[in-house]
Amino acid sequence: MARSTGREFRLAREARERFGLADLTLDPQLGTARTIASRLAKGGRRVPAGELQAAGVLVRILGRLVDVHLARGGDPVAEAAAELRERLGSAPIDGVARAFAATFPRHLERPEAPDPTVALPQLLLLETLGENPAVAPFGDLVALDELTARAASTRTVSSDLAAFFDRLPSLEPGGPSLLTLLRAPALAEPDSLAAQLRWIRSAWGTRYADELGDLIGELILALDVLAEEAHGAELAWLGTQPDAGAGGPAEVLEFGADAGEPERYSPDTDWMPRLVLLAKSAYVWLDQLSRRYTREIRTLDAVPDEELDVVAARGITGLWLIGLWERSRASERIKRMRGQTDAVASAYSLDDYAIARDLGGPAALDDLRERAMARGIRLASDMVPNHMGIDSSWVIEHPERFLAVPEPPFPAYTFGGPDLSDDERVAIRIEDHYWESTDAAVVFQRVDRRTGETRYVYHGNDGTTFPWNDTAQLDYSQAAVREAVIGAILAVARRFPVIRFDAAMVLAKRHVQRLWFPPPGEGGAIPSRAGHGMTRVEFERAMPHEFWREVVDRVAAEVPDTLLLAEAFWLLEGYFVRTLGMHRVYNSAFMNMLRDERNLEYRAVIRNTLEFDPAILGRFVNFMSNPDEKTAVEQFGTGDKYFGVATMMATLPGLPMFGHGQFEGFAEQYGMEFRRAHRQEAVDEPLLAHHERTLVPLLRRRATFAGSAGFRLFDFELADGGVAEDVFAYANVGPGGDRSLILYHNRYAGVEGRARTSVAFAVKGPDGERRLERSTLGEALGLSGEPDRWVILRDAVSGTEFLRSSATLAVDGLRWTLGPYERRTFVDVREVHDREDHPWGRLAARLDGAGVPSLTEALADLALEPVHLEARSRLAAALASIRAEDVERTAPDEARPAPDGAGPAPDGASPAP
């Protein structure tokens, strides 16, 4: 008669009574595990639900192996019971059966007359769990100690039982015994249930596929839940909640994954390459303008023309106004209830895409847009398509657009706090632990007051931080939701020629699935979503196309001449511009790596991009700060390093983006909820003046630097043959033939070397195949290399001009010595040749490598040198004559020479009359 260990594995009776666990069992069901974990927490015990679920899965798998052995013929359990009675006597066996009945009455058909053959297989599993070190933290929940306390013979019976089962034939010829099998996972991976499950999947998934096949799905889900909990613990350890889109540590871009993706760049219109973007936090900016101009400036139409003139004069052609949209009232209420008495709602928690009434509404925006455009400044706006505010009009009127579940995903969640909704139709409550700062729940509660329908809607979340508790996550697996968001984007594009999409990477298909619908075995990013996954096929059916590609194509067709800018990280930068078609994409590596002087890595970013597709380089947004990061002066200071990196930002291909207050030297980072600056910072006038003297001229000629077709990055070669990875040496040829050469040393040290040969760059052939090429400095700058040709290098920062031999540059490159954080910004590079009236060679010999304020004046001086020499000679002669006359006129009489014919008188004689 075959017996089964059953699906249930009851918890210790003492634990059930102490923690109110009633009839709960240790089984593979996630809901059961979460309920047990919740009740344990109320009793002061913290055991992760994932660990309990994993233990349940482990027991189920081990129990299945026991069942398979028991079903192989005969009645081994009865044989074991008979053998134990013969060896130990009936009393110990019956004592264990009675103890088992008292502990697990529901396991027995007749608890009053317990059958030992029912208890023995369970006892075998209990013994296995008791030996498992990974179960030790919650070992009191299993009943081995309780059985031992009820029946002193438990250990003896258990030991003899194990010996009996160890003699049973294995599942396969020459294979391990049953007892060896049961102990194998804990022996292989003693410290972790997750590791034990992974070991089982690897070691037994194929070997015992027939026996365990239907249990592998439960095992995979348990691993996903454990991964979720590990990720959540990591975030809790960080203890912070950054704003959306903070990208984390920058990595070196690699493009292997993009190689097979189609190339579908969006073409630039004429103004796009010249765009220089300045970010302004709208409320803070207006408050600062009020103080600066000593009058009330609270709406967009009140921005003074004088201020727009200042912005335009700095070379800014795009003004990104952060926080224009009507914001969530609940977000503001949450922040004020948490003690931020002066806060507005987060700029990323929106009610709808309508210009905020307190900023003047649409009419005020139209006024500002027209006045800015008259000065060559285009307005840019944020969009936050990943989520809306928790009380937004979309949540109120279209709850079906959001990710939600009918029950709280965790039993411990409670929603007894204040109703945050102003709409009488709906009640909105965030999870209670938010108010205590003891938890960051993944959902909030939405209750329809009329019908009583309750939804638990997920907060926005990118998987790298805690959920954003004032947001509601849109469900991008729904075509209707995607279409609604595209409609909103098109409406914004009709108002703004530049749109920045916040945290755009989370809406790439691969990350929509990873975060919200993880395939089995790949969960872990967001707690509780492991149970809501889709297979690849199911997800492909729900979301067949990339959302962003649909956006790009619709905007191009319906609102052309709109620049789309993606804030994207996670090594998706190339994919976003090359395949999805965004015009520009964030390049966070620029800020992070140059700040930390990870120069070798940033050179690798440029080099890898050039080797894969140089066009990507021209699509990067380079910045030294953004609204989610500390300010530029906090990160880079205000000295030579700051201006060296700023010069790179102004002269590299792509789009330079300046932060709020960067020109003025403001150090405060303005939170998304700021209504005004907290610090009353004065403008750093010397810093501002240095910007205007050395940086603004570069910004005004962005077309020279913006493209990547003529861009070349050079190795700065050292005398010993090595490469100075701290030096960024690059040349570019603009669309009008303007040539530039930049050198910057991003290290506090001196270095001497030469820029001679470029790193490799990809060239696309007629057949579409790419080949790698290199160029010399002379080739990059289009130099002839003729011996009678000379190259003029004008440093735009210092104004100094240098003269170098074209032949030498073509063969030997440019040799230079750079000090700590020194930069050389050579613009207007041009080649000249010797003529009789322009003896550049003679001038070069005269200068011997030194720079002068003006080569033209130096050449004129050289041409006038004979005249100067003659003049100096005549002047010298004249001066000598004058000096001689002065000597004669002033000498004493006795020192004057005698008249002709007269000589000295003899001694004692008078001179002749």
Side-chain angles (χ1 to χ4, degrees):
M1 175 182 174
R3 292 175 174 82
S4 170
T5 57
R7 180 178 179 83
E8 292 184 339
F9 190 90
R10 297 271 288 167
L11 299 174
R13 183 167 191 164
E14 180 181 335
R16 294 201 309 273
E17 293 174 352
R18 177 182 173 190
F19 296 107
L21 300 178
D23 296 326
L24 295 173
T25 60
L26 194 66
D27 64 31
Q29 301 305 305
L30 178 56
T32 302
R34 284 175 173 162
T35 299
I36 294 172
S38 174
R39 295 183 186 177
L40 289 174
K42 291 178 181 178
R45 286 287 305 281
R46 287 204 170 271
V47 179
E51 294 288 309
L52 295 169
Q53 182 192 15
V57 171
L58 178 64
V59 167
R60 182 90 186 277
I61 290 172
L62 299 182
R64 176 68 59 82
L65 294 177
V66 173
D67 291 347
V68 170
H69 273 79
L70 297 183
R72 297 187 64 180
D75 193 347
V77 177
E79 294 173 14
E83 181 177 305
L84 293 179
R85 285 185 187 280
E86 183 177 345
R87 179 180 301 117
L88 303 175
S90 296
I93 309 303
D94 294 337
V96 169
R98 285 192 297 274
F100 189 83
T103 307
F104 301 130
R106 287 187 58 189
H107 268 298
L108 306 177
E109 295 179 5
R110 299 175 58 206
E112 70 282 359
D115 180 356
T117 62
V118 175
L120 292 181
Q122 291 285 335
L123 182 59
L124 189 65
L125 288 180
L126 282 174
E127 182 69 27
T128 302
L129 280 186
E131 295 174 348
N132 192 330
V135 180
F138 52 95
D140 59 325
L141 299 183
V142 297
L144 186 61
D145 290 343
E146 192 168 328
L147 283 173
T148 302
R150 293 178 184 274
S153 59
T154 298
R155 294 291 185 184
T156 302
V157 171
S158 176
S159 176
D160 282 17
L161 181 66
F164 175 86
F165 274 98
D166 201 32
R167 298 196 304 270
L168 289 180
S170 64
L171 289 177
E172 54 188 330
S177 69
L178 174 60
L179 192 63
T180 300
L181 274 180
L182 297 183
R183 291 171 172 170
L187 290 174
E189 299 288 350
D191 300 324
S192 165
L193 284 173
Q196 289 178 26
L197 294 187
R198 287 192 292 270
W199 183 90
I200 289 172
R201 186 180 182 185
S202 174
W204 292 351
T206 301
R207 187 176 184 180
Y208 301 123
D210 293 339
E211 293 83 357
L212 303 179
D214 62 318
L215 302 181
I216 296 301
E218 295 177 351
L219 180 151
I220 291 172
L221 177 60
L223 286 173
D224 286 346
V225 172
L226 287 168
E228 286 181 353
E229 292 182 345
H231 184 56
E234 178 184 352
L235 295 179
W237 174 256
L238 293 175
T240 59
Q241 184 176 353
D243 286 313
E251 300 179 63
V252 174
L253 291 180
E254 296 180 351
F255 298 96
D258 296 332
E261 299 291 349
E263 180 182 303
R264 299 179 63 190
Y265 288 105
S266 291
D268 278 356
T269 52
D270 60 347
W271 60 270
M272 292 179 181
R274 301 192 302 272
L275 186 64
V276 178
L277 204 57
L278 173 65
K280 289 290 185 183
S281 177
Y283 287 99
V284 174
W285 187 42
L286 294 179
D287 185 67
Q288 290 170 334
L289 292 178
S290 297
R291 293 198 303 273
R292 177 177 175 182
Y293 290 94
T294 64
R295 65 177 185 268
E296 194 77 2
I297 300 174
R298 299 300 174 195
T299 56
L300 300 174
D301 54 348
V303 173
D305 285 341
E306 304 96 300
E307 186 67 17
L308 296 178
D309 290 337
V310 168
V311 172
R314 291 176 181 163
I316 302 300
T317 56
L319 184 58
W320 168 26
L321 297 176
I322 304 167
L324 293 179
W325 305 116
E326 201 68 66
R327 306 186 189 191
S328 159
R329 293 171 295 280
S331 175
E332 179 175 330
R333 195 167 296 138
I334 291 170
K335 294 179 186 305
R336 292 181 179 244
M337 292 175 70
R338 292 292 301 273
Q340 296 174 266
T341 57
D342 191 39
V344 293
S346 168
Y348 294 152
S349 176
L350 303 183
D351 176 69
D352 207 346
Y353 287 101
I355 302 300
R357 291 183 295 274
D358 58 357
L359 292 176
L365 173 69
D366 292 343
D367 176 88
L368 177 61
R369 182 175 56 241
E370 291 177 9
R371 291 187 293 121
M373 193 62 208
R375 293 162 172 82
I377 302 171
R378 288 172 167 82
L379 296 189
S381 171
D382 258 321
M383 287 200 74
V384 195
N386 180 54
H387 51 256
M388 298 293 289
I390 59 174
D391 61 335
S392 68
S393 58
W394 287 29
V395 169
I396 301 300
E397 298 170 9
H398 297 284
E400 74 282 355
R401 293 178 177 174
F402 296 87
L403 274 173
V405 288
E407 300 291 337
F410 298 102
Y413 281 5
T414 57
F415 299 88
D419 181 3
L420 300 172
S421 172
D422 287 340
D423 194 301
E424 62 183 10
R425 295 171 290 176
V426 173
I428 301 289
R429 291 181 175 86
I430 62 173
E431 207 275 326
D432 293 337
H433 292 91
Y434 264 125
W435 305 113
E436 306 163 8
S437 298
T438 57
D439 197 2
V442 294
V443 297
F444 66 94
Q445 184 189 67
R446 180 197 183 276
V447 180
D448 187 309
R449 296 183 191 275
R450 182 177 60 84
T451 65
E453 179 197 37
T454 301
R455 296 173 183 243
Y456 295 90
V457 182
Y458 278 87
H459 291 297
N461 197 329
D462 69 359
T464 66
T465 68
F466 296 134
W468 305 307
N469 72 326
D470 53 3
T471 68
Q473 176 66 41
L474 287 159
D475 181 0
Y476 271 82
S477 71
Q478 299 184 46
V481 171
R482 299 194 295 271
E483 182 59 33
V485 176
I486 290 173
I489 291 171
L490 293 171
V492 171
R494 294 184 179 98
R495 298 177 180 179
F496 294 92
V498 181
I499 304 177
R500 171 198 173 269
F501 294 112
D502 182 72
M505 68 282 179
V506 300
L507 296 183
K509 279 179 62 175
R510 69 192 73 174
H511 292 301
V512 173
Q513 181 167 29
R514 179 183 67 85
L515 294 170
W516 301 108
F517 308 99
E522 298 182 22
I526 295 176
S528 82
R529 291 306 300 176
H532 301 279
M534 294 185 187
T535 65
R536 302 285 185 199
V537 172
E538 291 170 336
F539 183 76
E540 192 66 27
R541 190 179 302 121
M543 192 175 182
H545 307 294
E546 284 282 11
F547 169 73
W548 288 123
R549 189 67 242 184
E550 293 184 290
V551 168
V552 167
D553 292 342
R554 291 281 294 277
V555 170
E558 300 181 41
V559 198
D561 207 30
T562 304
L563 186 146
L564 305 179
L565 189 162
E567 180 195 35
F569 310 113
W570 302 346
L571 303 182
L572 289 175
E573 290 86 338
Y575 181 68
F576 260 81
V577 293
R578 182 174 179 268
T579 299
L580 298 186
M582 288 285 178
H583 294 88
R584 299 293 184 272
V585 66
Y586 266 37
N587 177 28
S588 61
F590 180 90
M591 175 187 70
N592 288 293
M593 291 180 179
L594 295 179
R595 177 196 62 210
D596 300 338
E597 299 182 14
R598 294 158 57 191
N599 301 316
L600 183 150
E601 292 178 71
Y602 193 65
R603 274 178 41 84
V605 168
I606 302 177
R607 186 173 58 249
N608 291 351
T609 306
L610 291 172
E611 290 179 357
F612 177 66
D613 191 345
I616 294 173
L617 200 66
R619 305 289 178 136
F620 281 157
V621 179
N622 297 319
F623 50 86
M624 299 171 69
S625 176
N626 67 59
D628 298 323
E629 306 285 351
K630 293 180 179 179
T631 60
V633 297
E634 282 285 303
Q635 298 191 76
F636 293 90
T638 59
D640 289 340
K641 177 173 179 174
Y642 170 88
F643 280 101
V645 176
T647 296
M648 286 186 64
M649 188 170 75
T651 58
L652 277 172
L655 191 166
M657 183 172 74
F658 289 82
H660 187 148
Q662 184 169 341
F663 282 90
E664 297 86 353
F666 294 160
E668 183 176 13
Q669 179 185 358
Y670 308 123
M672 288 297 146
E673 73 283 0
F674 277 30
R675 186 180 293 276
R676 58 182 57 85
H678 293 171
R679 305 183 199 172
Q680 301 299 318
E681 296 184 89
V683 174
D684 186 334
E685 296 293 351
L687 181 74
L688 179 59
H690 201 59
H691 273 103
E692 294 177 342
R693 184 171 64 255
T694 66
L695 205 63
V696 167
L698 300 175
L699 300 178
R700 289 176 178 163
R701 55 191 304 163
R702 265 304 293 167
T704 299
F705 313 111
S708 58
F711 178 86
R712 303 290 182 266
L713 176 70
F714 293 89
D715 286 332
F716 197 70
E717 302 171 13
L718 301 171
D720 62 4
V723 174
E725 298 287 357
D726 299 319
V727 175
F728 295 88
Y730 51 90
N732 207 345
V733 179
D738 294 337
R739 293 174 284 188
S740 61
L741 175 62
I742 312 299
L743 304 176
Y744 170 56
H745 185 211
N746 193 39
R747 182 74 69 188
Y748 188 73
V751 64
E752 181 178 355
R754 65 177 174 179
R756 180 178 59 166
T757 306
S758 78
V759 303
F761 55 93
V763 177
K764 188 188 299 183
D767 56 358
E769 291 296 318
R770 284 182 168 82
R771 66 181 186 277
L772 293 181
E773 295 185 358
R774 297 176 185 268
S775 71
T776 65
L777 180 63
E779 292 168 341
L781 294 175
L783 304 181
S784 68
E786 296 295 330
D788 62 342
R789 300 297 176 106
W790 302 87
V791 179
I792 296 175
L793 305 170
R794 183 176 69 83
D795 188 345
V797 173
S798 66
T800 306
E801 295 185 337
F802 299 86
L803 192 61
R804 292 292 186 271
S805 163
S806 178
T808 301
L809 290 180
V811 175
D812 196 45
L814 177 68
R815 293 184 179 274
W816 211 269
T817 300
L818 294 167
Y821 305 117
E822 184 178 351
R823 68 195 190 278
R824 289 292 180 178
T825 310
F826 298 122
V827 295
D828 301 324
V829 177
R830 67 186 190 277
E831 192 175 46
V832 295
H833 65 275
D834 272 329
R835 299 199 307 265
E836 186 176 347
D837 57 337
H838 286 81
W840 295 107
R842 286 177 52 205
L843 179 60
R846 175 66 57 84
L847 295 177
D848 192 25
V852 293
S854 170
L855 286 173
T856 302
E857 292 181 7
L859 189 64
D861 289 343
L862 183 64
L864 293 172
E865 191 173 59
V867 177
H868 294 162
L869 288 174
E870 177 67 21
R872 282 197 292 269
S873 176
R874 293 186 178 187
L875 179 60
L879 290 174
S881 176
I882 292 172
R883 281 197 297 271
E885 292 175 2
D886 286 346
V887 168
E888 180 180 356
R889 185 170 55 253
T890 59
D893 288 344
E894 60 274 12
R896 295 179 183 174
D900 292 345
D907 290 344
S910 299

